[in-house]
Amino acid sequence: MTLPPTRWELAGEANRGYGETFAQRVAEGADIDGEARLADALAPRGARVLDVGSGMGRVAAALQARGHRVVATEPDPALRAQSRATYPDLDVLPHQALELDPAELGSFDLVAVVGNVMLFLGEGTERRVLERVRDLLAPGGRVLVGFHLTPIKAGSRTYPADEFVADVTAAGLRVVHRFGSYELHEPADDYAVWVLTRD
């Protein structure tokens, strides 16, 4: 299957600051576990968790440290290398979201698609990605999604909340919750955190 290039790929070097920023925060001992804390609360103990677009590994590693069985996926070679250097015990697959095969990977109690991953998918693939995520869910499984609703950096798209909800519905999922942060603040205009499940 030939996959369209992701917006992240097309942005190229313009996105290199992402990994550097979080590496610096890790080195400084900053709290970078907001997504992981919420993901942990959404999952049963020892859950199977899939981290789509795991970046430099911070969310996947935090969930693994909490006892979950984590599969991390990151197509960017530079971010995979940074993940190996920062979290050597975390295995990371090189797959794009549309390459994740339920027949190969099995099903998951929780799928995390955080860190603005939805904004950097290949153009026009959002619904297909959401359908693939749906197919990877175990019975009763949930999806944690988080992204900025306003433009953030070169290469990313703007993804209005109503358009996202329409794509979620078309993909056979439904919104269970919407928050304004990973600390469960009320919905906001600049950032959205979503909990989804199969419709």
Side-chain angles (χ1 to χ4, degrees), residues 1 4-5 8 15 21 23 25 36 39 41 43 65 68 93 98 110-111 117 123 139 149-150 178 197:
M1 174 175 58
W8 183 271
N15 285 326
T21 296
R25 291 181 185 174
H68 299 293
L93 300 175
L98 288 174
L110 181 71
V111 178
V117 168
E123 185 174 354
L149 297 171
T150 52
R178 175 185 169 183
T197 193

Side-chain angles (χ1 to χ4, degrees), residues 33-48:
D33 286 351
E35 298 102 323
R37 282 194 298 271
L38 180 53
D40 179 55
L42 290 171
R45 298 307 84 200
R48 289 203 80 221

Side-chain angles (χ1 to χ4, degrees), residues 61-139:
L63 290 170
Q64 186 170 269
R66 288 164 167 82
H68 299 293
R69 294 165 291 151
V70 180
V71 174
T73 71
E74 176 50 61
D76 186 317
L79 288 175
R80 286 199 310 276
Q82 184 178 356
S83 183
R84 284 192 299 272
T86 309
Y87 306 107
D89 295 331
L90 178 69
D91 293 326
V92 183
L93 300 175
H95 300 50
Q96 269 196 45
L98 288 174
E99 295 175 302
L100 300 173
D101 184 354
E104 174 190 348
L105 296 176
S107 59
F108 296 87
D109 303 298
L110 181 71
V111 178
V113 192
V114 296
N116 289 311
V117 168
M118 292 300 300
L119 304 187
F120 287 99
L121 298 174
E123 185 174 354
T125 66
E126 291 85 357
R127 287 190 182 184
R128 287 168 57 200
V129 167
L130 289 166
E131 289 168 355
R132 182 60 50 91
V133 165
R134 176 203 65 205
D135 292 343
L136 287 158
L137 285 179

Side-chain angles (χ1 to χ4, degrees), residues 176-188:
V176 179
H177 302 290
R178 175 185 169 183
F179 304 106
S181 74
Y182 292 100
E183 290 76 35
L184 309 187
H185 291 99
E186 64 186 54

